[in-house]
Amino acid sequence: MSPMRCAALLAGLLIVASAIAGASEDLPREKQRSSYDDMAPATRAMQDADTDNPGMLWVLDGEALWRAKTGSAARACADCHGDAKQSMAGVAARYPAFDAKRGGPVTLEGRINACRVENQNAQTLAYESRELLALSAYLALQSRGKPIAIDEKKLGETIAAGRDIFRQRQGQLNLSCAQCHDQHYGGKLAGNTIPQGHPNGYPLYRLEWQTLGSLQRRLRNCLTGIRAENHAYGSRELIALETYLMWRARGMSMESPAVRP
Amino acid sequence: MARALVNIPPKAKRGEVITIRTLMSHQMETGFRYSTTGAPIPRDIITTFIATYNGEEIFRAELFPAIAANPFITFTTVATESGTIELTWRGDNGFAASEQATITVE
């Protein structure tokens, strides 16, 4: 091999190496942008006014559930936690959190269900059921305006696992989450602006769904969109992705219950 | 649980145009869809919305299957006198809900 060709090959390798390095960087904090900023003024107005935001219908239900005695222990959430406005302020912004008892991450929905089983002797609530969405919306509302803060020391492994899934090309379209949401946000996909994909407003009211939905529902939508094999609600993979996404959105303020087109 | 969010200004000047905004929780099932087993899902929508001001009807709307879930209805009226504004929603399967608010006109 001539020295010229050798140099060209080396240069080529360097370009490839730098492209890989570029792709392996997390979205920098100064570039974070909430999808709220890309919404039409009418949709923003809908989110901003509590009497116009359909998510608040679930919040009203959640407030009633918070005070309702349930399970064979006949205990309400409020009996232990008191006024959610104080006891739950900023809590949802820290979820998924590290659960010492299980030695792993637990989502807000998972915590609600664990609390129901362990302290109320009640049945768990299914993902996307009206009750679970109502309770999680009510809790998430108490964190509105608070910065997202995930315990990255304790959840380091989960964040890393989520990052791997985020960057893994998958599905028949052979796309990774990062290709759209890290590298092409702000561009167009079928006429829609590609968002950065921050989870700062969940559970949120999607006009397309005509209902409130959890982050995991949205993640499953995206996986269907790239024609990938889906993960079950509450699965290790979705929890890891959720944890990584919350970490990636660290410092952004919570908008729950948000409205999205 | 029929939940509603209603925004009616508590105070207004006589002759002022006020905006009333309402959001009613309802799935608005169109009746055109089929379940996973192929059985038609029966229609379940709100059909009528009526607003009265001190007992007098000031606004009425008919709703149809093309209207989205959790219908948001907004309208304006002139604040004529202090009193009660009552909003009523009626629909399929005996659905009925109402909300009321008082307004002080100075």
Side-chain angles (χ1 to χ4, degrees), chain A residues 49-58 60-61 64-65 130-131 205 210-211, chain B residues 1 3-7 21-28 67-70 72:
Chain A
D50 279 350
T51 48
D52 298 356
N53 183 339
M56 295 307 283
L57 295 167
W58 276 259
L60 290 176
D61 281 349
L65 286 170
R130 177 123 190 150
E131 290 86 356
Y205 192 89
Q210 301 200 12
T211 181
Chain B
M1 287 186 277
R3 298 268 178 203
L5 291 166
V6 170
N7 192 335
R21 307 208 300 269
T22 73
L23 186 64
M24 170 48 83
S25 134
H26 198 287
Q27 59 175 355
M28 298 294 281
I67 293 171
N70 308 310
F72 177 72

Short mmCIF file of all heavy atoms in Angstrom, two decimals, chain A residues 49-58 60-61 64-65 130-131 205 210-211, chain B residues 1 3-7 21-28 67-70 72:
data_model
loop_
_atom_site.label_atom_id
_atom_site.label_comp_id
_atom_site.label_asym_id
_atom_site.label_seq_id
_atom_site.Cartn_x
_atom_site.Cartn_y
_atom_site.Cartn_z
N ALA A 49 -54.27 27.27 30.20
CA ALA A 49 -55.41 27.59 31.06
C ALA A 49 -55.96 26.31 31.69
O ALA A 49 -56.34 25.39 30.97
CB ALA A 49 -56.49 28.30 30.25
N ASP A 50 -55.97 26.27 33.01
CA ASP A 50 -56.41 25.05 33.69
C ASP A 50 -57.86 24.68 33.38
O ASP A 50 -58.23 23.52 33.46
CB ASP A 50 -56.21 25.19 35.20
CG ASP A 50 -54.77 24.90 35.59
OD1 ASP A 50 -54.01 24.43 34.72
OD2 ASP A 50 -54.42 25.15 36.75
N THR A 51 -58.70 25.68 33.04
CA THR A 51 -60.08 25.33 32.73
C THR A 51 -60.24 24.88 31.27
O THR A 51 -61.31 24.42 30.88
CB THR A 51 -61.03 26.51 32.99
OG1 THR A 51 -60.48 27.67 32.39
CG2 THR A 51 -61.23 26.72 34.48
N ASP A 52 -59.19 25.02 30.46
CA ASP A 52 -59.27 24.59 29.06
C ASP A 52 -58.49 23.30 28.82
O ASP A 52 -58.63 22.67 27.79
CB ASP A 52 -58.68 25.66 28.12
CG ASP A 52 -59.44 26.97 28.18
OD1 ASP A 52 -60.46 27.02 28.88
OD2 ASP A 52 -59.01 27.93 27.52
N ASN A 53 -57.64 22.95 29.76
CA ASN A 53 -56.74 21.80 29.61
C ASN A 53 -57.49 20.52 29.98
O ASN A 53 -57.83 20.30 31.14
CB ASN A 53 -55.53 22.00 30.53
CG ASN A 53 -54.51 20.90 30.40
OD1 ASN A 53 -54.81 19.81 29.94
ND2 ASN A 53 -53.29 21.19 30.81
N PRO A 54 -57.74 19.66 28.99
CA PRO A 54 -58.52 18.44 29.29
C PRO A 54 -57.83 17.53 30.30
O PRO A 54 -58.49 16.74 30.98
CB PRO A 54 -58.65 17.73 27.93
CG PRO A 54 -58.15 18.66 26.91
CD PRO A 54 -57.31 19.70 27.58
N GLY A 55 -56.50 17.64 30.42
CA GLY A 55 -55.77 16.85 31.40
C GLY A 55 -56.27 17.12 32.82
O GLY A 55 -56.18 16.25 33.70
N MET A 56 -56.80 18.32 33.04
CA MET A 56 -57.27 18.67 34.37
C MET A 56 -58.52 17.86 34.77
O MET A 56 -58.84 17.77 35.95
CB MET A 56 -57.56 20.17 34.46
CG MET A 56 -56.33 21.05 34.31
SD MET A 56 -54.96 20.64 35.41
CE MET A 56 -55.56 21.34 36.94
N LEU A 57 -59.20 17.28 33.78
CA LEU A 57 -60.35 16.41 34.10
C LEU A 57 -59.86 15.18 34.86
O LEU A 57 -60.50 14.71 35.79
CB LEU A 57 -61.08 15.99 32.82
CG LEU A 57 -61.76 17.11 32.01
CD1 LEU A 57 -62.15 16.60 30.63
CD2 LEU A 57 -62.97 17.65 32.74
N TRP A 58 -58.68 14.68 34.45
CA TRP A 58 -58.08 13.52 35.14
C TRP A 58 -57.56 13.94 36.51
O TRP A 58 -57.61 13.18 37.45
CB TRP A 58 -56.96 12.93 34.28
CG TRP A 58 -57.44 11.97 33.24
CD1 TRP A 58 -57.41 10.61 33.31
CD2 TRP A 58 -58.02 12.29 31.96
NE1 TRP A 58 -57.94 10.07 32.15
CE2 TRP A 58 -58.31 11.06 31.33
CE3 TRP A 58 -58.33 13.48 31.31
CZ2 TRP A 58 -58.89 11.00 30.05
CZ3 TRP A 58 -58.90 13.42 30.05
CH2 TRP A 58 -59.17 12.19 29.44
N LEU A 60 -58.85 16.16 38.43
CA LEU A 60 -60.00 16.20 39.35
C LEU A 60 -60.33 14.80 39.86
O LEU A 60 -60.59 14.60 41.05
CB LEU A 60 -61.23 16.79 38.63
CG LEU A 60 -61.20 18.28 38.29
CD1 LEU A 60 -62.44 18.67 37.51
CD2 LEU A 60 -61.09 19.12 39.56
N ASP A 61 -60.29 13.82 38.94
CA ASP A 61 -60.53 12.43 39.35
C ASP A 61 -59.45 11.96 40.32
O ASP A 61 -59.73 11.29 41.31
CB ASP A 61 -60.51 11.49 38.13
CG ASP A 61 -61.82 11.55 37.35
OD1 ASP A 61 -62.79 12.13 37.87
OD2 ASP A 61 -61.86 11.02 36.22
N ALA A 64 -59.92 13.16 43.82
CA ALA A 64 -60.96 12.39 44.52
C ALA A 64 -60.41 11.03 44.95
O ALA A 64 -60.66 10.57 46.07
CB ALA A 64 -62.18 12.22 43.61
N LEU A 65 -59.63 10.38 44.06
CA LEU A 65 -59.05 9.07 44.39
C LEU A 65 -58.04 9.18 45.53
O LEU A 65 -57.91 8.26 46.35
CB LEU A 65 -58.37 8.47 43.15
CG LEU A 65 -59.30 7.94 42.07
CD1 LEU A 65 -58.51 7.61 40.80
CD2 LEU A 65 -60.05 6.69 42.54
N ARG A 130 -58.13 4.52 33.67
CA ARG A 130 -58.51 5.89 34.05
C ARG A 130 -57.97 6.24 35.45
O ARG A 130 -57.48 7.33 35.70
CB ARG A 130 -60.03 6.03 34.00
CG ARG A 130 -60.52 7.40 34.44
CD ARG A 130 -61.35 8.11 33.40
NE ARG A 130 -61.57 9.49 33.81
CZ ARG A 130 -61.72 10.50 32.97
NH1 ARG A 130 -61.67 10.29 31.68
NH2 ARG A 130 -61.91 11.72 33.41
N GLU A 131 -58.06 5.25 36.37
CA GLU A 131 -57.66 5.52 37.76
C GLU A 131 -56.15 5.79 37.87
O GLU A 131 -55.74 6.72 38.55
CB GLU A 131 -58.01 4.32 38.66
CG GLU A 131 -59.49 4.12 38.90
CD GLU A 131 -60.15 3.29 37.81
OE1 GLU A 131 -59.47 2.93 36.82
OE2 GLU A 131 -61.35 3.02 37.92
N TYR A 205 -52.17 14.98 27.68
CA TYR A 205 -53.35 14.83 26.83
C TYR A 205 -52.90 15.02 25.40
O TYR A 205 -52.44 16.09 25.01
CB TYR A 205 -54.40 15.89 27.19
CG TYR A 205 -55.75 15.61 26.55
CD1 TYR A 205 -56.70 14.82 27.19
CD2 TYR A 205 -56.08 16.13 25.30
CE1 TYR A 205 -57.93 14.56 26.62
CE2 TYR A 205 -57.30 15.86 24.71
CZ TYR A 205 -58.22 15.08 25.38
OH TYR A 205 -59.44 14.82 24.80
N GLN A 210 -57.09 11.65 21.96
CA GLN A 210 -58.32 12.15 22.59
C GLN A 210 -58.44 11.66 24.02
O GLN A 210 -59.53 11.45 24.55
CB GLN A 210 -59.56 11.72 21.80
CG GLN A 210 -59.51 12.24 20.39
CD GLN A 210 -60.86 12.28 19.72
OE1 GLN A 210 -61.89 12.14 20.35
NE2 GLN A 210 -60.86 12.49 18.44
N THR A 211 -57.31 11.44 24.65
CA THR A 211 -57.31 11.05 26.05
C THR A 211 -55.94 11.32 26.64
O THR A 211 -55.00 11.66 25.92
CB THR A 211 -57.69 9.56 26.20
OG1 THR A 211 -57.71 9.22 27.59
CG2 THR A 211 -56.71 8.65 25.50
N MET B 1 -68.08 8.96 36.47
CA MET B 1 -67.71 10.29 36.96
C MET B 1 -67.77 11.28 35.81
O MET B 1 -66.90 11.25 34.93
CB MET B 1 -66.30 10.25 37.55
CG MET B 1 -66.20 9.53 38.87
SD MET B 1 -64.56 9.66 39.62
CE MET B 1 -63.66 8.36 38.76
N ARG B 3 -67.03 14.67 34.86
CA ARG B 3 -66.32 15.85 35.35
C ARG B 3 -66.42 16.97 34.33
O ARG B 3 -66.33 16.72 33.13
CB ARG B 3 -64.85 15.53 35.55
CG ARG B 3 -64.60 14.47 36.57
CD ARG B 3 -64.38 15.07 37.92
NE ARG B 3 -64.18 14.03 38.91
CZ ARG B 3 -64.39 14.21 40.20
NH1 ARG B 3 -64.83 15.36 40.64
NH2 ARG B 3 -64.17 13.24 41.05
N ALA B 4 -66.58 18.17 34.79
CA ALA B 4 -66.62 19.32 33.89
C ALA B 4 -65.72 20.42 34.40
O ALA B 4 -65.53 20.56 35.61
CB ALA B 4 -68.05 19.83 33.75
N LEU B 5 -65.13 21.14 33.49
CA LEU B 5 -64.37 22.34 33.84
C LEU B 5 -65.09 23.52 33.21
O LEU B 5 -65.34 23.54 32.02
CB LEU B 5 -62.94 22.24 33.29
CG LEU B 5 -62.03 21.20 33.93
CD1 LEU B 5 -60.80 20.98 33.08
CD2 LEU B 5 -61.63 21.62 35.34
N VAL B 6 -65.47 24.47 34.05
CA VAL B 6 -66.27 25.58 33.58
C VAL B 6 -65.60 26.89 33.97
O VAL B 6 -65.11 27.02 35.08
CB VAL B 6 -67.69 25.50 34.19
CG1 VAL B 6 -68.47 26.76 33.91
CG2 VAL B 6 -68.43 24.29 33.66
N ASN B 7 -65.54 27.81 33.02
CA ASN B 7 -64.94 29.12 33.28
C ASN B 7 -65.97 30.20 32.99
O ASN B 7 -66.24 30.51 31.83
CB ASN B 7 -63.69 29.28 32.42
CG ASN B 7 -62.86 30.46 32.83
OD1 ASN B 7 -63.36 31.43 33.41
ND2 ASN B 7 -61.57 30.40 32.53
N ARG B 21 -66.53 29.41 28.99
CA ARG B 21 -65.80 28.29 28.42
C ARG B 21 -66.12 27.02 29.20
O ARG B 21 -66.09 27.03 30.43
CB ARG B 21 -64.28 28.55 28.46
CG ARG B 21 -63.89 29.87 27.83
CD ARG B 21 -62.48 29.85 27.27
NE ARG B 21 -61.47 29.57 28.25
CZ ARG B 21 -60.82 30.51 28.94
NH1 ARG B 21 -61.11 31.77 28.76
NH2 ARG B 21 -59.88 30.17 29.81
N THR B 22 -66.43 25.96 28.49
CA THR B 22 -66.80 24.71 29.17
C THR B 22 -66.05 23.53 28.56
O THR B 22 -65.81 23.49 27.36
CB THR B 22 -68.31 24.42 29.02
OG1 THR B 22 -68.58 24.02 27.68
CG2 THR B 22 -69.15 25.63 29.36
N LEU B 23 -65.69 22.61 29.43
CA LEU B 23 -65.02 21.39 28.98
C LEU B 23 -65.67 20.23 29.72
O LEU B 23 -65.68 20.21 30.95
CB LEU B 23 -63.52 21.49 29.33
CG LEU B 23 -62.59 20.39 28.85
CD1 LEU B 23 -62.51 20.36 27.34
CD2 LEU B 23 -61.20 20.63 29.40
N MET B 24 -66.27 19.32 28.99
CA MET B 24 -66.98 18.21 29.63
C MET B 24 -66.26 16.91 29.34
O MET B 24 -65.84 16.65 28.21
CB MET B 24 -68.43 18.16 29.10
CG MET B 24 -69.23 16.95 29.49
SD MET B 24 -69.18 16.48 31.23
CE MET B 24 -70.40 17.53 31.94
N SER B 25 -66.10 16.11 30.37
CA SER B 25 -65.42 14.83 30.20
C SER B 25 -66.39 13.81 29.61
O SER B 25 -67.41 13.49 30.22
CB SER B 25 -64.86 14.41 31.56
OG SER B 25 -65.11 13.09 31.83
N HIS B 26 -66.11 13.37 28.40
CA HIS B 26 -66.96 12.39 27.74
C HIS B 26 -66.17 11.73 26.61
O HIS B 26 -65.46 12.42 25.88
CB HIS B 26 -68.21 13.05 27.17
CG HIS B 26 -69.32 12.07 26.87
ND1 HIS B 26 -69.28 11.20 25.81
CD2 HIS B 26 -70.47 11.81 27.52
CE1 HIS B 26 -70.38 10.46 25.82
NE2 HIS B 26 -71.12 10.80 26.85
N GLN B 27 -66.31 10.41 26.45
CA GLN B 27 -65.50 9.72 25.45
C GLN B 27 -65.98 9.96 24.01
O GLN B 27 -65.21 9.78 23.07
CB GLN B 27 -65.47 8.23 25.73
CG GLN B 27 -66.85 7.62 25.72
CD GLN B 27 -66.83 6.11 25.89
OE1 GLN B 27 -65.78 5.52 25.91
NE2 GLN B 27 -67.99 5.51 26.02
N MET B 28 -67.24 10.37 23.81
CA MET B 28 -67.79 10.63 22.47
C MET B 28 -67.50 9.47 21.50
O MET B 28 -66.87 9.65 20.45
CB MET B 28 -67.25 11.96 21.91
CG MET B 28 -67.62 13.18 22.73
SD MET B 28 -69.38 13.59 22.75
CE MET B 28 -69.60 14.41 21.18
N ILE B 67 -67.68 15.03 16.59
CA ILE B 67 -67.08 15.92 17.59
C ILE B 67 -66.17 15.12 18.52
O ILE B 67 -66.52 14.02 18.97
CB ILE B 67 -68.18 16.68 18.35
CG1 ILE B 67 -68.86 17.64 17.36
CG2 ILE B 67 -67.61 17.44 19.53
CD1 ILE B 67 -70.09 18.31 17.86
N ALA B 68 -64.99 15.68 18.77
CA ALA B 68 -63.94 14.97 19.53
C ALA B 68 -64.36 14.68 20.96
O ALA B 68 -65.31 15.28 21.48
CB ALA B 68 -62.65 15.79 19.52
N ALA B 69 -63.62 13.78 21.59
CA ALA B 69 -63.86 13.45 22.99
C ALA B 69 -63.63 14.68 23.85
O ALA B 69 -62.91 15.59 23.45
CB ALA B 69 -62.92 12.33 23.42
N ASN B 70 -64.24 14.69 25.02
CA ASN B 70 -64.13 15.79 25.97
C ASN B 70 -64.43 17.13 25.30
O ASN B 70 -63.57 18.01 25.23
CB ASN B 70 -62.73 15.82 26.61
CG ASN B 70 -62.36 14.47 27.18
OD1 ASN B 70 -63.14 13.88 27.92
ND2 ASN B 70 -61.20 13.97 26.82
N PHE B 72 -65.13 20.72 24.06
CA PHE B 72 -64.87 22.06 24.59
C PHE B 72 -65.83 23.00 23.88
O PHE B 72 -65.79 23.12 22.66
CB PHE B 72 -63.41 22.42 24.28
CG PHE B 72 -63.01 23.80 24.70
CD1 PHE B 72 -62.86 24.11 26.04
CD2 PHE B 72 -62.78 24.79 23.76
CE1 PHE B 72 -62.46 25.38 26.43
CE2 PHE B 72 -62.40 26.07 24.14
CZ PHE B 72 -62.24 26.36 25.49
#
